[in-house]
Amino acid sequence: MTTTYRITAPRDDYTGPGPGGIPLVDGTATTSDPAIVGYCQGAGYTVEPLDDDPPRGDNPAADQNGPPDTTSAGRSASLGKRG
């Protein structure tokens, strides 16, 4: 997954085109372009990663596959109904 970054210009009152053409509004913009992020890091801009992914629990596999299975691994109820 691509990380998006918040770029904050040295002047917080600037609105207009920023590095690489990103639109700055009141001194901030967002981008996922690694070249722009790299330039901004070396040119005095503040660069902060934004959290694109929702928070994950302790078990990422369970988060992807739904809730954990809480059923018993014992015998099926239908096996006891032979007739």
Side-chain angles (χ1 to χ4, degrees), residues 5-19 22-30 40 44-48:
Y5 295 87
R6 176 182 296 122
I7 307 296
T8 305
R11 286 187 36 204
D12 63 358
D13 61 342
Y14 177 73
T15 297
I22 60 172
L24 288 160
V25 177
D26 293 329
T28 63
T30 58
C40 290
Y45 291 77
T46 302
V47 178
E48 303 169 279

Side-chain angles (χ1 to χ4, degrees), residues 45-74:
Y45 291 77
T46 302
V47 178
E48 303 169 279
L50 299 176
D51 189 14
D52 289 340
D53 295 329
R56 301 189 101 166
D58 291 339
N59 186 352
D63 289 347
Q64 292 176 358
N65 299 323
D69 184 8
T70 59
T71 58
S72 172

